[in-house]
Amino acid sequence: MEQLDRRWVNMVFPITDYFQHKRACQTKQRERASRIANLPAHYLTPVSHQDRDILDKPVEELVQDVHKDIIKPIDVLRAYGKVAIQAHYKTNCLTEVMIARAELWAENGINIKGPLAGIPISLKDTITVGGYDSSVAYSRYTGQPHLKDGSIVRLLKDAGAIPYVKTNLPVTLLSFESTNDIWGRCTNPHNVKYSPGGSTGGESALLAFGGGRIGIGSDVAGSVRVPAHFSGIYSLRCSTGRWPKMGMNTSTLGQEGIPSVFSPMARTLGDLIYFTKSMVSMKPWKYDHSVHPMPWKEDEESDAKEKKRLRVGVMRDDGVVTPSPACARALEQVVASLRTEGHDVINVNPPSPYEALVIASHLLTSDGCKTISSHFRWGEWNDPGAAQMTLYAKLPRPVKYLWYLWVKYVRRDSIWAGLLQGWHQQSAFEQWKLVVQREAYKARWHDWWEEEAKMDVLLTVPNATPAIPHGGMKEAFSSCDYTFMFNLLDYTCGIIPVTHVDRTIDQLPSTFRFKDLNAVAKGAYTHYDADKMHGLPVGVQVVGQRLQEEKVLAVMERIEGALEKSGKKYQLLEIE
């Protein structure tokens, strides 16, 4: 009753709500600054030779050293904690700084014989850690620390890992940027004028900078894959049921039309593989009822590693936004390396990717964006892309129908018109029809893959462009089909960083005509500038069918091996 009365007061007196919002943001920012300032002195000193010896070792080797008592978990934590603070100063990537308590966990609270013994792990802010908020960047949910760890964190500690920081994200979670009023804007470590991605952008910024080796994010439309592509790291979008998902907060609780999945991210491919296998070895189904009791499939991994000639499909264009020169070049670089190794690489035309974008977009916003809007306090800043989606969803249907007619028949943009037409709150009857369309679409893809394409994996770009500048989601919010379609299909997908934007070879061709693009493509290409983007990372997406994590990781390993043989393996940012 007291909470209801308080909300009624806030509706009547919005200025009260606004001041509560401002106070909550200031309190959390002071709390974060205080936690950093009060860390032991060694966290605020330059990286030492001893630190660098730790930072240069892969996760598996560090675990072995901890098992043999060659190094202590506290030493690993202090090395990565030091770089995490440096990463934060450059990119504003951290939210909850848990390092002081992590020191206690490193000494007493972890399984020193586990598969992740002594390894610091960063977590997206949504993940529940006892004693800390999971505000999802809404000020309404600050000052409400959880009483106990969620299932993911309990599993991690039982495996020997040490949660030490939580990372930045966008308010609403529906963005490829990572900005909010509570924590501020997270920037790309390669270029602070650009986004590190979203919604798991704090993770990608931290890992790319070198402030960690492994972390966990979530993905409903590309939120661990686009940050990996934007920031130059590795990630795996697991199929639903393969990775724990309980013990978290979200902006869209109850939304199951396009389920969100928690998934691993890493600084190197070797760490990503080891981390994923370690998590599965912990039998996550014993911690979380939503996980399938599916042990690691050694035979599937071995088959993918040993098959002499892989059959690899390449989707070069989704028919909505043609990949930019930089992204097309990265894809072709992988194709060329695989062909040099003797693999069968073919161009493919799958069932309409645009149809997936329409169905997925309408399912994800089937509540008319009411849920993401319900968490806001009066005057709280909204992500520009989420604000656009909300605006379209709330337009009166007669007005939207007239707009749809104008876009389709006057502007002759059937792509944008098809998206706009169903962008509103759906009735239960309408949503059920969307689910029928989703399942029929998934069946067509399955039949096409098995009977026509007969591929081991599919290659495509993760996004039509490299990282967008801050604020770019206002125009580019609907350009997400290269990742979003695989959320609808629930396929396993991995991201490999391949190259960097080069201003000399990634310029738009003289034949490029912006005015002829559909509205989705215009939104994406508004911000493509090879000169300004010079040096930003560019990745490639490796797609397998549902629950093929072992196969996708094995093929990613073979792709990176092929790139390395040709002298084109991606170069990570060096730790400062």
Side-chain angles (χ1 to χ4, degrees):
M1 182 62 73
E2 181 181 344
Q3 184 179 7
L4 183 62
D5 291 343
R6 189 162 58 249
R7 289 206 174 193
W8 181 85
V9 169
N10 290 338
M11 285 189 291
V12 177
F13 302 105
I15 195 67
T16 304
D17 208 30
Y18 174 73
F19 283 125
Q20 288 177 343
H21 166 65
K22 297 297 285 186
R23 280 196 299 271
C25 294
Q26 291 165 3
T27 298
K28 290 303 292 185
Q29 289 164 15
R30 284 196 300 266
E31 179 183 81
R32 177 178 61 179
S34 174
R35 286 175 178 168
I36 293 173
N38 291 320
L39 286 172
H42 50 256
Y43 285 104
L44 307 177
T45 60
V47 173
S48 67
H49 290 298
Q50 181 184 358
D51 294 328
R52 200 164 293 280
D53 287 342
I54 292 172
L55 297 170
D56 288 343
K57 290 185 177 182
V59 167
E60 186 172 10
E61 189 174 340
L62 285 171
V63 170
Q64 291 170 355
D65 286 350
V66 170
H67 286 170
K68 297 173 184 176
D69 204 26
I70 295 172
I71 57 174
K72 301 291 185 184
I74 192 71
D75 297 323
V76 183
L77 172 64
R78 288 173 176 171
Y80 276 102
K82 182 181 292 187
V83 185
I85 298 302
Q86 294 177 6
H88 177 68
Y89 286 151
K90 180 169 183 178
T91 67
N92 192 41
C93 57
L94 305 183
T95 57
E96 303 288 344
V97 178
M98 307 181 292
I99 295 173
R101 193 170 295 182
E103 288 217 339
L104 300 177
W105 297 330
E107 298 284 11
N108 301 300
I110 61 168
N111 174 15
I112 203 165
K113 295 300 181 183
L116 296 173
I119 304 301
I121 182 163
S122 50
L123 306 170
K124 189 174 186 174
D125 188 75
T126 55
I127 295 173
T128 301
V129 181
Y132 295 91
D133 289 341
S134 294
S135 66
V136 200
Y138 291 101
S139 72
R140 186 180 302 282
Y141 303 118
T142 62
Q144 301 175 34
H146 292 274
L147 297 177
K148 61 181 182 179
D149 294 335
S151 56
I152 291 179
V153 174
R154 287 191 289 108
L155 185 156
L156 289 169
K157 288 182 178 178
D158 287 350
I162 309 170
Y164 68 124
V165 291
K166 296 175 73 174
T167 54
N168 213 343
L169 69 181
V171 68
T172 75
L173 302 182
L174 302 182
S175 179
F176 291 157
E177 297 186 60
S178 290
T179 305
N180 57 82
D181 275 351
I182 301 174
W183 307 112
R185 170 174 287 151
C186 186
T187 63
N188 193 308
H190 296 265
N191 186 331
V192 296
K193 294 181 180 179
Y194 283 80
S195 166
S199 60
T200 320
E203 279 297 314
S204 62
L206 176 69
L207 296 171
F209 190 91
R213 275 193 169 267
I214 54 176
I216 298 178
S218 62
D219 192 311
V220 76
S223 290
V224 300
R225 288 166 290 157
V226 170
H229 166 59
F230 280 11
S231 295
I233 64 165
Y234 300 77
S235 70
L236 181 72
R237 187 266 174 200
C238 298
S239 295
T240 55
R242 201 73 201 275
W243 197 270
K245 75 171 188 177
M246 304 306 293
M248 56 79 181
N249 280 0
T250 182
S251 61
T252 55
L253 196 64
Q255 189 285 119
E256 291 293 334
I258 305 292
S260 178
V261 292
F262 280 83
S263 292
M265 305 172 76
R267 182 166 165 82
T268 69
L269 180 56
D271 289 340
L272 183 70
I273 294 169
Y274 181 80
F275 180 33
T276 308
K277 291 177 74 170
S278 297
M279 288 290 283
V280 175
S281 77
M282 290 295 295
K283 300 180 179 179
W285 50 91
K286 292 185 177 292
Y287 294 80
D288 184 337
H289 70 271
S290 70
V291 181
H292 301 313
M294 184 183 295
W296 191 257
K297 294 174 282 186
E298 300 282 356
D299 55 341
E300 187 173 293
E301 181 184 28
S302 297
D303 289 346
K305 283 183 175 182
E306 296 168 6
K307 188 174 183 180
K308 186 174 181 180
R309 187 174 185 180
L310 294 170
R311 182 173 170 85
V312 180
V314 183
M315 185 179 78
R316 295 186 182 271
D317 195 321
D318 69 348
V320 181
V321 187
T322 298
S324 61
C327 295
R329 178 172 62 85
L331 184 61
E332 183 54 37
Q333 194 167 303
V334 172
V335 167
S337 294
L338 287 172
R339 283 181 172 154
T340 299
E341 291 290 297
H343 299 295
D344 186 11
V345 185
I346 56 169
N347 293 328
V348 297
N349 293 298
S352 170
Y354 171 66
E355 185 179 346
L357 178 63
V358 172
I359 296 169
S361 298
H362 295 167
L363 276 170
L364 184 61
T365 60
S366 61
D367 69 337
C369 296
K370 284 186 174 181
T371 303
I372 62 170
S373 301
S374 68
H375 311 298
F376 282 105
R377 280 174 160 157
W378 193 84
E380 191 165 3
W381 181 87
N382 193 4
D383 175 85
Q388 290 289 100
M389 287 189 286
T390 304
L391 172 66
Y392 297 142
K394 290 183 176 179
L395 281 176
R397 288 203 186 186
V399 173
K400 188 179 298 177
Y401 184 66
L402 290 174
W403 190 8
Y404 157 77
L405 293 174
W406 183 76
V407 168
K408 185 169 184 178
Y409 296 107
V410 178
R411 288 175 50 182
R412 299 186 182 280
D413 183 352
S414 60
I415 296 290
W416 180 236
L419 279 167
L420 188 65
Q421 185 179 22
W423 220 321
H424 50 250
Q425 183 175 347
Q426 310 286 335
S427 67
F429 174 70
E430 290 171 322
Q431 188 186 31
W432 288 13
K433 289 202 294 184
L434 284 171
V435 171
V436 170
Q437 292 174 37
R438 180 193 69 190
E439 294 306 299
Y441 182 82
K442 290 162 74 172
R444 290 209 311 279
W445 255 81
H446 180 269
D447 292 346
W448 169 77
W449 190 302
E450 293 291 336
E451 298 170 10
E452 182 179 334
K454 299 179 180 178
M455 307 172 294
D456 289 297
V457 295
L458 173 71
L459 295 181
T460 188
V461 299
N463 193 262
T465 70
I468 56 173
H470 300 302
M473 282 302 289
K474 181 177 181 180
E475 294 80 21
F477 74 95
S478 56
S479 178
C480 57
D481 194 26
Y482 288 103
T483 49
F484 204 10
M485 64 185 298
F486 300 115
N487 290 87
L488 183 148
L489 292 166
D490 196 22
Y491 280 3
T492 304
C493 310
I495 300 297
I496 302 177
V498 174
T499 188
H500 297 86
V501 179
D502 187 328
R503 63 167 60 95
T504 62
I505 56 178
D506 291 329
Q507 299 287 341
L508 290 169
S510 58
T511 54
F512 181 80
R513 292 172 61 84
F514 183 85
K515 68 177 183 179
D516 292 343
L517 301 176
N518 64 69
V520 179
K522 283 180 178 177
Y525 274 96
T526 294
H527 301 291
Y528 184 78
D529 186 322
D531 289 315
K532 293 179 179 178
M533 290 177 163
H534 181 77
L536 286 173
V538 188
V540 163
Q541 183 171 211
V542 183
V543 182
Q545 291 177 285
R546 177 166 154 72
L547 298 169
Q548 290 189 344
E549 287 75 19
E550 296 87 349
K551 185 175 189 177
V552 168
L553 287 169
V555 174
M556 289 169 69
E557 199 170 21
R558 295 186 71 173
I559 289 171
E560 185 156 274
L563 290 169
E564 189 169 17
K565 282 184 182 179
S566 60
K568 294 181 178 179
K569 182 181 176 181
Y570 180 82
Q571 297 300 307
L572 296 167
L573 273 179
E574 292 188 7
I575 297 175
E576 297 177 2

